[in-house]
Amino acid sequence: MKQDPRHAGNVVLLRGACLWLLAALVLAWCLVGLDFGVPFVKAIFPGKFMRVLQGHSDFLLMTALILGFYATKTPLPRTVRWAMVIGAFTNSSLFVLQGAFPVLDGPTPAPGIVGPAFLVYLLTSLLITSYGFGKAAVTVLRSTLDAKPVG
């Protein structure tokens, strides 16, 4: 498939940002449902309202970060683009999972395999997200240092 030069090869960032913005909108409506006490929404998110709000806010923040990097039109390595998009989802989903499964939101690990599995998911998410956004930041910064001055 031929790449559109307008995207600098970063079309996956645009697609991911659109998906995570839609996720934020769905969570916004879930927050309205929680606030109005809609039974099926309360059944989906029996945990803390704040965790769902944090998930919503994090999806919005990640969307803005991804769109900001996309707007630079700086070509990014494929692994970086995918790490940003996947990390943005997994990082935001941590809060949503805590809102849906209150056992994950305690000071002590959840019982059985659930606690260690959530910890592995959390740490993997942090690693992927840090790699993606960190490497993207370095790449964009280096692109500004390589530029020839105008005038």
Side-chain angles (χ1 to χ4, degrees):
M1 184 170 174
K2 194 172 181 183
Q3 285 287 338
D4 186 335
R6 295 176 299 164
H7 302 298
N10 296 335
V11 72
V12 72
L13 296 181
L14 193 57
R15 291 174 181 162
C18 290
L19 288 172
W20 307 157
L21 181 58
L22 290 172
L25 288 170
V26 168
L27 286 174
W29 280 105
C30 289
L31 288 165
V32 170
L34 286 171
D35 194 48
F36 282 118
V38 176
F40 81 88
V41 179
K42 290 184 78 139
I44 294 170
F45 295 110
K48 297 176 185 168
F49 179 90
M50 184 59 71
R51 291 301 188 195
V52 182
L53 179 60
Q54 286 173 308
H56 165 74
S57 300
D58 204 52
F59 271 117
L60 289 174
L61 174 68
M62 292 297 183
T63 298
L65 285 170
I66 290 172
L67 288 174
F69 279 104
Y70 174 80
T72 69
K73 302 293 187 216
T74 303
L76 298 170
R78 176 179 294 201
T79 56
V80 171
R81 295 187 308 253
W82 279 102
M84 290 170 71
V85 170
I86 292 168
F89 173 78
T90 58
N91 199 59
S92 303
S93 71
L94 290 165
F95 297 115
V96 177
L97 287 170
Q98 288 176 320
F101 304 104
V103 70
L104 299 174
D105 195 16
T108 58
I113 190 73
V114 175
F118 183 71
L119 182 62
V120 167
Y121 183 72
L122 183 148
L123 295 174
T124 303
S125 173
L126 293 175
L127 198 76
I128 291 169
T129 308
S130 298
Y131 165 73
F133 285 97
K135 178 75 171 176
V138 169
T139 303
V140 171
L141 177 62
R142 289 185 71 196
S143 77
T144 66
L145 300 174
D146 295 339
K148 294 183 171 136
V150 177

